[in-house]
Amino acid sequence: SKYLPGIRSSSWVKIKARQTDSFIVGGHTEDHGFLVGQYDEDDTLRYCGNVEAGFRNCDYDELFERARTIEHS
């Protein structure tokens, strides 16, 4: 479709691209982040990154407390 600067048309439609995946919380950081990973094809848990956003406060507090409980058991 043709782009027309400054003009809205039905030729261009904005859609949200949603990608989802599952991760395992492997630990937490002192600044309230979580360390996450995934199992690869060899069933080896691989580090994927830190998650520090995207949680509601109540979800975050619950996950952080659960992680602390597991860490000390």
Side-chain angles (χ1 to χ4, degrees):
S1 64
K2 186 175 180 181
Y3 175 69
L4 303 170
I7 299 173
R8 289 183 182 247
S9 75
S10 61
S11 298
W12 289 79
V13 179
K14 182 177 179 178
I15 60 170
K16 289 190 177 212
R18 294 184 183 248
Q19 295 180 340
T20 62
D21 212 338
S22 297
F23 294 89
I24 295 170
V25 176
H28 61 90
T29 63
E30 290 182 17
D31 59 347
H32 296 167
F34 295 101
L35 308 173
V36 297
Q38 291 180 315
Y39 285 104
D40 65 14
E41 58 277 349
D42 298 323
D43 285 334
T44 302
L45 182 59
R46 302 284 180 182
Y47 171 77
C48 293
N50 276 4
V51 177
E52 295 181 3
F55 294 103
R56 295 177 304 181
N57 282 341
C58 58
D59 292 339
Y60 178 81
D61 292 341
E62 179 184 343
L63 283 172
F64 188 75
E65 198 54 43
R66 288 177 66 187
R68 285 189 59 227
T69 302
I70 292 168
E71 176 183 68
H72 294 290
S73 60

